[in-house]
Amino acid sequence: MHLSSLLLCCALSLGALVKCAAGSEWCYNGCEYTPSHWADIPGVFCGENRQSPIDIVTANVQTDPQLLNFNFLNFSSQHVFKSIKNNGHTVKCILEDNEVEVSGGGLDGTYSIIQFHFHWGITELHPGSEHMIDGHRYPMEMHIVSLKKGLSEQNATDDSEGIAVLGFFINATDDGDMSGPWNEFISSLPQKDKEVDINATISIDDLIGNVNLTKFYRYKGSLTTPSCNETVVWTVFQEPINIHKQLVQMFPIMAGFINVYRPTQPLNGRDVFASPGTPLPPSHSWCYEDEPCEYKPSHWHLLPHSECGGKSQSPINIETRETVSDEHLDAFTYTKFDDKHAIMHITNTGHSVKCVLKEDTVEVSGGGLGYVYSTLQFHFHWGSENSDGSEHKVDSKRYPMEMHIVNKRKDLTLEKALETPNGLAVLGFLIEAKDAHNSNSERETHPTSDIDPWKKLTSYISAIRNISSEVHVTDGISIDDLLGSVNRVEYYRYNGSLTTPSCNEAVVWTVFKESVKVDENLMMMFPTLAGYHNVYRPTQSLHNRIIYTTTSASSAPVPTILLLLACLCAFSYNLHL
Ligand SMILES: *[C@@H]1O[C@H](CO)[C@@H](O)[C@H](O)[C@H]1NC(C)=O
Ligand SMILES: *[C@@H]1O[C@H](CO)[C@@H](O)[C@H](O)[C@H]1NC(C)=O
Ligand SMILES: *[C@@H]1O[C@H](CO)[C@@H](O)[C@H](O)[C@H]1NC(C)=O
Ligand SMILES: *[C@@H]1O[C@H](CO)[C@@H](O)[C@H](O)[C@H]1NC(C)=O
Ligand SMILES: [Zn+2]
Ligand SMILES: [Zn+2]
């Protein structure tokens, strides 16, 4: 017998077939080899790089469209449970050979299920699931263990995907069935070192209950007990099995031991994926001041890869008396700002409402920028029903809203642009309420559009009330329509950053002096329909930066020149500022 298979058999979890001859004893507590010392056991893999369990940080999880539905064979059969064994580390239900299978769910082929077992703590006072979700540990976890069909236990540990484990969290509830299949199952749990045949008529489906089996996470990891072989394709279902807390409490009592779970292990750069049906948070775990989350603006600098603590951050308060005139700040050239079909879709990012433009269509140049920039998207910052929410302030005045038109240097990829001091150019427009008595509309440059373009735009917000949802724009709305007659020649200029994490200091900022005027009721649609408010970052220190301003000489309107430039490149992007 090889050393590895000897250790594996000692170790556990897979089978009950081979009796363990000798080898190092491991445990969860009260012996030499507790989890932090498992790696010291000769011949094990517990100190390697793809270990399980892990904390699943949903903000870092990526959706994988390949993770389609599972196919389960004989999960509803009431004749597949063979025996239950208590090996001192867990209680394990051994299944009839070659009866129960799982395939699909993004697994590579069919896997034969051999057993399932449990991990627990001490009742709900000290939860004992192995995996965690965003730092939350459930009371228990069930592992359904399967081997790639045709492989022996030994061969399965030689294949990096030889074993598939289906992990289910178990949640303790105050109410629920006290006499159903879980009661029957727990009542038959044997004492330490005992094995009992099971004569109950229970199926795996009876235990899983109504957990949604299309919502799951996937990553590559290991067995969670020595030898910790790195041969496991993990599936962790998002929804827990809810069972009555009195039944959860029975587990340690029946089994005779507590706290049988391994602490979470480092991810070491591994990817964690989610099936398409699994709800994920809109982006990262950052938020604005009014929302509950781990990283509010004052803590954004602690986020991974964050530049939010840098010395050229945005937004800022623009002290107009301190600004310096710069005659190089000439007029902009706007390309396709009048294209009524350039807006592809509108999406609710969970932090803003963002209008994504067709690739390589809209452009901006001139304005002292020195480069041609491709317009990627525009989005909004707002306050609440009774407070203003622009990001930039002018002479300490905050405006009701702010619109950001985000542009990327055309000669750079987005990745490169984010690392280049002028890789991005953002045009910021402050937004104020239209004065109802002052018939401003006569000045509008597009009298042909009889419906207010802002009315058209805001009408889409009700279709994206769910975070991460998007809607295609079918009405003709151009950026020119939205900007109306606002003066686009007078502006402030400074070097700054993105105003959301990672706050890359890659932005040449333009803040226009005149505000865009929008009907107050339409402005209210943003906080009301999106469901969140005060989505703006507080102003940041200037740190010796100079704010430049267009000279008053250039304030005379300059005719708009439309310049059609060849589209040279195609990028995909999804940038929120
Ligand atoms: C498992 O499924 C197969 C195919 O449906 C069936 O023939 C067999 O009887 C099932 N086994 C058990 C134990 O239910
Ligand atoms: C877990 O159980 C608690 C207590 O009954 C309940 O409030 C909570 O919603 C449950 N969690 C899930 C994800 O079902
Ligand atoms: C939002 O999500 C819920 C639940 O998934 C769905 O029923 C509803 O139709 C969605 N609403 C919109 C506007 O998409
Ligand atoms: C922005 O920074 C660049 C150097 O990276 C400098 O040449 C330019 O003058 C700065 N512009 C402003 C408006 O401060
Ligand atoms: Zn396990
Ligand atoms: Zn913004």
Side-chain angles (χ1 to χ4, degrees):
M1 192 189 253
H2 293 294
L3 178 64
S4 65
S5 58
L6 175 73
L7 285 167
L8 176 66
C9 96
C10 285
L12 96 106
S13 231
L14 285 183
L17 305 174
V18 197
K19 274 265 182 273
C20 192
S24 313
E25 278 298 320
W26 62 271
C27 64
Y28 291 100
N29 40 53
C31 77
E32 184 182 355
Y33 293 114
T34 52
S36 54
H37 294 100
W38 286 356
D40 303 335
I41 303 172
V44 301
F45 305 94
C46 306
E48 305 278 319
N49 287 326
R50 63 169 260 198
Q51 290 291 297
S52 294
I54 57 164
D55 181 11
I56 297 168
V57 178
T58 53
N60 299 333
V61 168
Q62 301 162 41
T63 298
D64 180 354
Q66 318 265 45
L67 299 180
L68 301 173
N69 292 354
F70 284 104
N71 308 308
F72 301 106
L73 179 68
N74 285 339
F75 268 51
S76 58
S77 168
Q78 294 184 328
H79 308 287
V80 296
F81 291 13
K82 193 153 82 184
S83 63
I84 306 181
K85 181 175 179 164
N86 182 333
N87 64 10
H89 298 303
T90 188
V91 287
K92 173 160 67 176
C93 180
I94 295 151
L95 303 185
E96 300 288 351
D97 290 336
N98 305 318
E99 293 285 356
V100 190
E101 292 180 358
V102 61
S103 62
L107 294 175
D108 181 18
T110 300
Y111 286 75
S112 298
I113 294 170
I114 55 173
Q115 50 104 334
F116 62 88
H117 63 265
F118 298 87
H119 299 269
W120 61 84
I122 323 169
T123 72
E124 80 264 44
L125 295 173
H126 187 104
S129 70
E130 294 213 295
H131 287 90
M132 297 171 85
I133 293 198
D134 292 328
H136 177 75
R137 195 183 290 289
Y138 280 98
M140 290 183 62
E141 187 167 333
M142 174 164 92
H143 289 159
I144 302 181
V145 180
S146 63
L147 307 180
K148 198 171 239 182
K149 198 170 177 177
L151 294 186
S152 66
E153 285 179 29
Q154 216 164 308
N155 292 340
T157 55
D158 292 336
D159 181 330
S160 77
E161 298 190 13
I163 300 169
V165 182
L166 307 178
F168 289 88
F169 294 114
I170 297 176
N171 189 28
T173 59
D174 295 330
D175 43 25
D177 197 357
M178 283 291 292
S179 58
W182 277 99
N183 181 50
E184 202 175 338
F185 182 76
I186 291 165
S187 306
S188 51
L189 295 181
Q191 293 173 335
K192 208 165 168 177
D193 301 321
K194 293 272 189 328
E195 178 164 359
V196 294
D197 289 340
I198 193 161
N199 28 26
T201 50
I202 311 170
S203 69
I204 299 177
D205 278 347
D206 289 338
L207 296 178
I208 294 172
N210 56 6
V211 169
N212 183 333
L213 299 169
T214 69
K215 296 180 181 175
F216 59 90
Y217 304 102
R218 165 66 43 80
Y219 78 99
K220 289 186 181 160
S222 72
L223 298 176
T224 66
T225 52
S227 315
C228 310
N229 302 63
E230 298 190 322
T231 59
V232 180
V233 184
W234 274 97
T235 301
V236 178
F237 290 92
Q238 190 233 344
E239 292 182 4
I241 299 169
N242 282 305
I243 65 178
H244 197 291
K245 66 179 181 195
Q246 286 181 24
L247 292 173
V248 171
Q249 286 163 9
M250 290 292 287
F251 247 90
I253 295 168
M254 295 295 286
F257 45 89
I258 57 172
N259 289 341
V260 284
Y261 65 92
R262 185 187 194 190
T264 54
Q265 304 295 306
L267 207 49
N268 294 321
R270 281 175 288 173
D271 288 322
V272 182
F273 298 97
S275 61
T278 311
L280 293 178
S283 61
H284 304 282
S285 54
W286 62 269
C287 64
Y288 291 106
E289 204 52 52
D290 281 8
E291 299 157 9
C293 80
E294 203 175 343
Y295 296 102
K296 292 189 178 225
S298 56
H299 290 85
W300 285 359
H301 64 282
L302 299 173
L303 284 160
H305 316 297
S306 169
E307 294 180 28
C308 304
K311 289 201 153 38
S312 296
Q313 290 291 296
S314 295
I316 54 166
N317 174 36
I318 298 168
E319 277 300 342
T320 55
R321 274 169 313 146
E322 306 285 320
T323 59
V324 175
S325 290
D326 182 350
E327 60 192 14
H328 297 108
L329 299 180
D330 53 1
F332 288 96
T333 300
Y334 303 99
T335 305
K336 299 265 179 118
F337 269 51
D338 62 346
D339 185 331
K340 288 188 179 290
H341 301 283
I343 303 174
M344 206 163 52
H345 61 256
I346 305 184
T347 175
N348 179 346
T349 69
H351 299 297
S352 182
V353 166
K354 178 167 78 174
C355 302
V356 179
L357 305 183
K358 285 204 185 92
E359 285 183 45
D360 298 320
T361 304
V362 183
E363 290 178 359
V364 64
S365 60
L369 291 175
Y371 291 89
V372 178
Y373 286 77
S374 304
T375 307
L376 308 180
Q377 47 104 334
F378 60 91
H379 63 265
F380 302 90
H381 298 270
W382 60 81
S384 66
E385 210 167 317
N386 37 32
S387 66
D388 295 326
S390 72
E391 294 215 292
H392 287 92
K393 293 201 243 178
V394 179
D395 292 331
S396 301
K397 172 185 157 74
R398 193 182 295 288
Y399 284 71
M401 283 183 70
E402 186 166 335
M403 172 176 173
H404 288 158
I405 305 179
V406 182
N407 310 277
K408 175 190 67 70
R409 237 174 74 179
K410 202 174 165 175
D411 58 329
L412 301 179
T413 61
L414 179 57
E415 204 173 21
K416 193 87 189 102
L418 287 165
E419 298 168 352
T420 307
N422 59 3
L424 301 169
V426 181
L427 308 181
F429 288 94
L430 300 161
I431 300 177
E432 278 186 291
K434 195 183 258 177
D435 185 349
H437 306 292
N438 173 3
S439 185
N440 225 352
S441 54
E442 282 162 28
R443 277 177 62 205
E444 287 197 1
T445 51
H446 301 277
T448 47
S449 53
D450 33 351
I451 303 174
D452 184 342
W454 287 92
K455 189 165 188 171
K456 284 189 199 169
L457 184 81
T458 50
S459 71
Y460 285 95
I461 306 178
S462 59
I464 52 164
R465 296 180 77 152
N466 290 341
I467 286 169
S468 293
S469 56
E470 64 178 48
V471 61
H472 282 267
V473 176
T474 49
D475 284 288
I477 313 170
S478 70
I479 302 175
D480 277 344
D481 290 341
L482 294 168
L483 297 179
S485 60
V486 70
N487 179 325
R488 289 190 231 170
V489 171
E490 290 196 64
Y491 56 89
Y492 302 106
R493 166 66 44 79
Y494 76 99
N495 285 337
S497 74
L498 297 178
T499 67
T500 55
S502 305
C503 310
N504 303 55
E505 297 189 336
V507 182
V508 180
W509 272 96
T510 303
V511 178
F512 290 89
K513 294 185 182 180
E514 192 185 317
S515 61
V516 174
K517 306 296 187 297
V518 177
D519 184 285
E520 200 165 5
N521 295 317
L522 296 177
M523 280 200 275
M524 234 51 268
M525 307 275 274
F526 287 87
T528 309
L529 293 177
Y532 40 83
H533 52 264
N534 294 334
V535 285
Y536 60 88
R537 185 188 194 191
T539 52
Q540 305 293 303
S541 300
L542 204 51
H543 289 296
N544 302 322
R545 279 176 289 174
I546 297 172
I547 307 169
Y548 294 91
T549 173
T550 46
T551 56
S552 39
S554 69
S555 64
V558 170
T560 306
I561 306 157
L562 279 184
L563 196 62
L564 293 170
L565 290 159
C567 301
L568 296 172
C569 39
F571 299 109
S572 73
Y573 43 76
N574 180 16
L575 183 70
H576 172 71
L577 190 68

